[in-house]
Amino acid sequence: MFLRRATGTFEGGRGEVSCKRSLFPGRVFAIVALLLLFLNGTASAQDFAQDRDSLVRLIEAKSIKLTDINGAPFRIVKGPARFLHNNTYLLCDSAAWDVNANVIDAMGHVQIIQKDTYLTSDFATYIADDNMVQFRGTLVKLYNKKGDQLKTRFLDYNTADSVATFYNGGAMRSAKGDIVEGLEGMYDSAERMFMFNDNVNMYSDSIFLKSEMVEYHSAQEVAMFGENTVAWKGRDTLFSNNMEYATRSKTLVLKTDNYIATQDQELWAGWIDYHRESGNAELYDNVQVRDQAQSAIIMGDKGVYVQRPMLLYMTDNAAAGMYSEEKTGIDSLTSQPIYKRDTLFIAGDTLKMWQIPMHQVDSSEVARARQRRQLADTDPMDEINRQNKAYLDAYKRNKENMGKILPPPPKQNPANSPQENNPDGQPELNKPADQASLDKMLDRKDPPLPNNPADSTRAGIDSLLTKTPTDSLSIPKDTIVPLDTTAVTFLSVHHKVKLFRSDLRGRCDSLIYTTIDSIARFYRDPVLWNEEKTQFTSDSIQLSIRNNEIYKANLIENAFIISKEDSIHFHQIKSTEMVAYFKDNDVYRFDALGGVQAMIFLAERDSVITLMNQKECRMLTAKIANQTIERVRYIENVKSDVTPTYKLPEEKMRLRDFNWREDQLIKSRSELTTRKVHPSTRGKLRRQRFPSYSQTRDFFPDSYKEITGISNSITQKIREEDQARLEKERREKDEEARRKALDEEGRHQMEMDKDNDGPVMIYNRPENQQTDKKDENPELK
């Protein structure tokens, strides 16, 4: 074995490492043999101290022996020995010192001590002229004063600039237990900064991270990551090309190309402050949050995200997109339905979406929401049609019995007889069976529910509301009723609210939505346009949403519908309140309830409008096809007046309070937001490989066991939660399919009944009044 000066590369490293000499296999064994040969010799350390030309000082040794190897002078030092150079101590059991090359080969309990930095190994080579300590192939440990520990097998330490460089793999465990590993890196003692490159992994406080590069600043306990950084925290996955993790405050700061995926949401922003313990985040600059469960995208420039229970508060150009799919046809080849995706955009000054369990929602709010839902699901025409049919049936039965001598009715207990003044047991033709209910339906003066005037729905029929039946089975006092943990979603938008979809536009001052009733409520001067042709206005508007589609719109107080025929002629209907029904997001029917005024323009066969039909009645219902009114039923107290439109002044063709607000019509979604919606990247992120921590396994096996144990427990918990969630979704899906089938069956039957709805209203005559031939048909058209 011999020593030589050389400049070369170390095999196995990621890059070239320059040096002045190489330690070849066998050299160590030769030096050990020489030491065994000369250790019994004696020499005074004082003799060596007289060599004043050397910059390296031997300040302690048991003995030193001068020898010659291949013509080069060597000092064989028996220790414990201590060298000093660049204010750095080199300690070892023994050493071979090449005097000409100024190189020391140290063996046995080797230690390098410099200020706050401490290195240990079994072998080291110190090239004094290069100020470089080299550790090769044996385990080397680097400590600092704080207690951080780096382990590797290939390391160079520069005693002049106090920088250590390692390669071929290494791992660091901080004083507080954080783990960082990589294939190569460095440690700057002055800055107390560790840097790792290539296949970098980190673990800290149940957060698993991987990146291409990381700088760990020990004094501040901050890790700064480079490109392609991915972090995992429970179900949350974070990505950034510039991430910083402050372990003291337990905050991850995402600075460039940032993305977070939670269980139900995806988040994008130019800057994100993510809090490890809670999973909450502050979002800045081009913020977008996609909520998978609600099929919604929330956007803005400044937002706050709370994970449990979920809350999202957005300001600064806040907007939301509610996307849905509607059936547009059937594929002729596959016989599968064809769906078209459309998005409803909502914008305002502030936007808030949050979720809480049902049992935490105020009971009065739940009661109001359920009442709104029940009223929204009520069809006002059902009661009219039912009574209409009852009148018609009674009329036919009475007509058949005219002139007949009927036997007296059986005697009944007056208390059990609902019609003691009706001897033949038939409904009276001059008095409805439920006239009070009908009058209440048409002339409701009921006040709104307390503490929430805006919640007065006035959209259904009070007489049709089904009262909650009293349970005959009492619940024992000691019975524990399980809490309803169903997640309820709320959405509120305030100030300068705008809506846009390809077929629906709107404005208002505030909007509130909850999944308890699936109704969006518009307040303070709301206006809606359907296909830019039909305008809806009222004091407040409620949109009922079913299966992510608009099902019904209730116009409450001072309702006014205007349908544009051309620049001069507008069909107009005005009423106390109105109900519009939607199918495939188009209005196909609407009802006007109470104090109806209508102005309909009629065209000749050449499509030229020549007549204006002005009506007044108590109620009406109209069916629409292709945005054109096809049929109108006028109900009770009908007054009609037909006027030619030739030379008719424009003011005569307008109902009072007519206001066509075309100047406020939103033309495109760019008036709400110009942001490009991010596509979901959840699937792409899932393909990221989880850190293997192979370096930690080799250098810190106890920490590796702890990390893998935590990882496995988290994986098992997620697997169990997913299984329970899938089972719950399956039950809910089955229940929804059953309910939907019943709803569709009922709706189909209802539509069939309406197609054969018979008379609009029956007006009965006294029995002694003679009826002529034209009165045999009781229907009024």
Side-chain angles (χ1 to χ4, degrees):
M1 178 61 189
F2 59 93
L3 293 172
R4 68 177 183 177
R5 293 180 180 273
T7 300
T9 59
F10 294 105
E11 296 181 359
R14 297 293 297 179
E16 295 186 356
V17 180
S18 177
C19 65
K20 286 192 174 181
R21 62 192 296 274
S22 299
L23 185 63
F24 293 92
R27 170 66 177 167
V28 174
F29 299 104
I31 294 176
V32 170
L34 287 172
L35 287 172
L36 293 175
L37 180 64
F38 294 109
L39 279 179
N40 292 328
T42 60
S44 173
Q46 246 177 351
D47 295 337
F48 174 75
Q50 295 175 356
D51 188 358
R52 303 294 184 183
D53 296 333
S54 175
L55 298 177
V56 179
R57 301 177 184 277
L58 177 62
I59 61 176
E60 182 181 356
K62 284 186 177 180
S63 64
I64 183 170
K65 179 72 175 179
L66 301 177
T67 188
D68 183 88
I69 301 177
N70 294 331
F74 271 77
R75 270 81 168 166
I76 305 302
V77 180
K78 177 183 178 182
R82 181 181 299 180
F83 298 84
L84 177 63
H85 184 243
N86 289 338
N87 293 320
T88 303
Y89 289 99
L90 168 61
L91 285 71
C92 60
D93 290 344
S94 59
W97 187 355
D98 186 336
V99 177
N100 290 341
N102 204 15
V103 174
I104 302 173
D105 289 308
M107 293 165 284
H109 298 95
V110 177
Q111 302 177 49
I112 300 293
I113 302 174
Q114 185 186 58
K115 294 183 179 179
D116 297 338
T117 306
Y118 180 66
L119 296 94
T120 65
S121 185
D122 291 332
F123 300 95
T125 298
Y126 185 39
I127 307 173
D129 291 347
D130 290 343
N131 307 306
M132 187 67 67
V133 184
Q134 296 179 340
F135 299 88
R136 299 289 182 268
T138 60
L139 181 64
V140 55
K141 303 176 184 179
L142 183 152
Y143 302 85
N144 59 21
K145 185 177 181 180
K146 187 176 181 181
D148 304 323
Q149 182 180 175
L150 170 69
K151 290 184 180 181
T152 182
R153 290 188 174 87
F154 297 86
L155 182 143
D156 296 336
Y157 184 75
N158 191 304
T159 59
D161 57 18
S162 304
V163 173
T165 304
F166 72 91
Y167 57 97
N168 283 353
M172 185 274 294
R173 182 171 64 190
S174 71
K176 61 176 294 185
D178 298 335
I179 290 290
V180 187
E181 66 173 32
L183 291 181
E184 60 185 31
M186 61 168 286
Y187 172 69
D188 188 330
S189 178
E191 299 292 335
R192 290 191 186 178
M193 185 269 291
F194 294 87
M195 186 177 72
F196 294 79
N197 292 301
D198 198 357
N199 197 20
V200 176
N201 300 318
M202 180 176 178
Y203 172 80
S204 176
D205 295 323
S206 301
I207 290 187
F208 308 85
L209 303 102
K210 65 180 296 184
S211 181
E212 296 181 2
M213 184 277 292
V214 64
E215 293 181 0
Y216 183 88
H217 296 265
S218 176
Q220 297 81 16
E221 296 182 3
V222 173
M224 303 173 66
F225 297 86
E227 295 183 349
N228 297 318
T229 300
V230 183
W232 291 265
K233 169 59 174 65
R235 286 186 172 273
D236 298 352
T237 306
L238 297 79
F239 174 87
S240 178
N241 281 320
N242 184 3
M243 185 186 296
E244 181 178 306
Y245 180 32
T247 60
R248 287 180 183 172
S249 61
K250 300 179 181 179
T251 302
L252 287 97
V253 181
L254 287 67
K255 302 179 181 180
T256 305
D257 304 326
N258 311 308
Y259 169 79
I260 298 178
T262 67
Q263 182 174 1
D264 293 319
Q265 289 85 33
E266 294 179 83
L267 294 78
W268 295 265
W271 185 287
I272 301 176
D273 292 337
Y274 175 90
H275 302 280
R276 183 200 69 81
E277 291 186 329
S278 62
N280 303 337
E282 289 89 42
L283 314 166
Y284 306 92
D285 187 21
N286 194 20
V287 180
Q288 291 193 35
V289 179
R290 177 188 292 267
D291 188 284
Q292 182 176 345
Q294 302 303 320
S295 301
I297 299 175
I298 313 299
M299 298 170 282
D301 283 324
K302 184 178 180 180
V304 175
Y305 171 74
V306 178
Q307 190 162 166
R308 294 180 184 84
M310 193 278 288
L311 181 147
L312 182 63
Y313 183 79
M314 196 72 66
T315 60
D316 296 2
N317 303 314
M322 318 292 288
Y323 52 92
S324 62
E325 292 183 345
E326 60 181 74
K327 185 177 177 181
T328 59
I330 301 294
D331 191 308
S332 59
L333 296 178
T334 63
S335 299
Q336 297 296 321
I338 302 174
Y339 291 93
K340 173 188 174 183
R341 170 166 285 197
D342 203 355
T343 303
L344 171 65
F345 288 93
I346 306 172
D349 288 348
T350 61
L351 189 149
K352 179 181 177 182
M353 184 171 74
W354 69 101
Q355 285 182 340
I356 55 176
M358 177 67 82
H359 69 271
Q360 294 183 9
V361 182
D362 185 83
S363 59
S364 61
E365 172 62 25
V366 175
R368 285 191 290 265
R370 288 177 174 170
Q371 185 184 45
R372 287 192 297 266
R373 174 71 180 244
Q374 192 171 13
L375 289 171
D377 290 341
T378 300
D379 191 331
M381 292 297 107
D382 285 349
E383 179 68 10
I384 299 297
N385 294 333
R386 184 188 68 78
Q387 294 187 23
N388 207 27
K389 186 175 183 301
Y391 297 149
L392 184 59
D393 291 343
Y395 177 84
K396 291 179 179 179
R397 286 195 300 270
N398 287 343
K399 186 176 180 181
E400 292 175 356
N401 293 330
M402 288 181 63
K404 296 181 180 179
I405 300 176
L406 299 176
K411 293 184 179 180
Q412 298 181 1
N413 187 343
N416 297 329
S417 176
Q419 300 180 13
E420 57 180 335
N421 297 323
N422 187 358
D424 57 2
Q426 301 293 341
E428 297 183 30
L429 295 181
N430 59 352
K431 186 176 182 181
D434 194 5
Q435 186 65 49
S437 175
L438 182 59
D439 290 341
K440 186 178 181 181
M441 173 186 66
L442 299 178
D443 289 324
R444 286 180 299 160
K445 303 297 182 181
D446 53 310
L449 290 170
N451 300 325
N452 198 344
D455 281 345
S456 175
T457 62
R458 298 190 59 85
I461 303 171
D462 292 350
S463 62
L464 300 178
L465 287 177
T466 305
K467 295 183 180 179
T468 303
T470 302
D471 193 350
S472 60
L473 299 176
S474 60
I475 301 177
K477 293 183 179 180
D478 57 350
T479 301
I480 300 176
V481 180
L483 297 176
D484 189 349
T485 59
T486 303
V488 178
T489 302
F490 294 85
L491 173 68
S492 66
V493 189
H494 295 284
H495 308 306
K496 301 178 183 178
V497 180
K498 301 177 183 178
L499 294 91
F500 177 86
R501 195 173 64 179
S502 59
D503 54 2
L504 185 69
R505 324 289 168 86
R507 291 177 183 269
C508 65
D509 184 72
S510 60
L511 180 152
I512 300 175
Y513 172 82
T514 172
T515 54
I516 301 177
D517 53 20
S518 298
I519 294 176
R521 291 167 280 158
F522 302 77
Y523 299 117
R524 302 188 74 175
D525 197 25
V527 55
L528 294 177
W529 294 272
N530 180 231
E531 295 287 358
E532 302 186 17
K533 184 178 179 180
T534 305
Q535 174 182 292
F536 304 87
T537 59
S538 64
D539 290 352
S540 64
I541 298 176
Q542 296 184 358
L543 286 183
S544 299
I545 312 297
R546 302 291 184 271
N547 301 319
N548 290 330
E549 293 184 358
I550 300 175
Y551 164 66
K552 182 188 290 187
N554 293 77
L555 282 64
I556 304 169
E557 295 293 345
N558 301 315
F560 208 132
I561 295 181
I562 302 174
S563 181
K564 183 178 181 180
E565 188 68 30
D566 54 42
S567 60
I568 299 177
H569 302 97
F570 295 84
H571 305 298
Q572 305 156 57
I573 299 178
K574 182 179 179 182
S575 180
T576 302
E577 69 179 83
M578 296 187 196
V579 184
Y581 297 83
F582 290 77
K583 186 175 184 181
D584 296 331
N585 295 316
D586 279 333
V587 178
Y588 73 92
R589 169 191 155 199
F590 64 82
D591 303 331
L593 311 174
V596 179
Q597 300 179 51
M599 188 174 286
I600 308 297
F601 292 89
L602 308 176
E604 298 290 345
R605 293 182 180 179
D606 56 1
S607 300
V608 176
I609 294 177
T610 58
L611 297 175
M612 180 184 72
N613 187 2
Q614 192 165 356
K615 296 271 191 179
E616 290 185 9
C617 60
R618 197 167 189 186
M619 299 177 65
L620 72 76
T621 179
K623 291 189 176 181
I624 301 174
N626 300 321
Q627 302 182 27
T628 302
I629 298 176
E630 286 193 338
R631 180 186 178 191
V632 181
R633 294 173 58 201
Y634 302 94
I635 302 172
E636 196 171 331
N637 302 330
V638 180
K639 297 178 181 179
S640 180
D641 186 13
V642 178
T643 306
T645 58
Y646 180 69
K647 291 186 178 181
L648 188 65
E650 184 174 320
E651 61 269 15
K652 295 293 185 180
M653 295 187 289
R654 304 289 187 263
L655 292 177
R656 185 178 178 181
D657 299 326
F658 174 90
N659 184 14
W660 177 247
R661 298 161 64 174
E662 189 172 18
D663 58 328
Q664 301 179 26
L665 180 63
I666 301 169
K667 301 297 183 181
S668 66
R669 91 165 180 94
S670 62
E671 297 183 37
L672 281 72
T673 178
T674 57
R675 303 180 194 276
K676 182 180 179 181
V677 176
H678 288 294
S680 174
T681 55
R682 187 184 296 272
K684 180 180 179 180
L685 199 60
R686 284 175 178 170
R687 292 192 289 270
Q688 287 282 350
R689 297 184 60 184
F690 194 77
S692 60
Y693 297 100
S694 57
Q695 305 297 329
T696 304
R697 179 189 58 205
D698 294 341
F699 296 114
F700 298 100
D702 292 340
S703 297
Y704 176 77
K705 290 180 181 179
E706 179 183 355
I707 291 172
T708 54
I710 294 174
S711 174
N712 292 336
S713 64
I714 293 174
T715 302
Q716 179 63 25
K717 182 179 179 181
I718 291 175
R719 186 180 296 113
E720 292 173 356
E721 291 177 352
D722 286 344
Q723 187 173 358
R725 185 177 185 181
L726 288 174
E727 181 64 23
K728 181 180 178 181
E729 289 178 352
R730 185 191 63 79
R731 293 195 302 267
E732 292 177 349
K733 186 176 180 180
D734 293 343
E735 178 63 23
E736 178 66 18
R738 186 188 68 81
R739 187 193 63 78
K740 187 175 180 181
L742 293 175
D743 289 348
E744 288 295 330
E745 181 180 356
R747 187 177 293 112
H748 177 69
Q749 183 62 43
M750 184 173 62
E751 293 298 330
M752 290 182 60
D753 293 342
K754 289 170 186 172
D755 290 339
N756 303 304
D757 49 20
V760 173
M761 183 61 73
I762 303 300
Y763 292 95
N764 301 295
R765 300 170 181 79
E767 294 183 4
N768 58 1
Q769 180 177 340
Q770 297 293 327
T771 60
D772 54 21
K773 191 172 184 179
K774 67 178 181 180
D775 290 330
E776 292 180 356
N777 187 354
E779 299 184 10
L780 300 178
K781 298 183 180 178

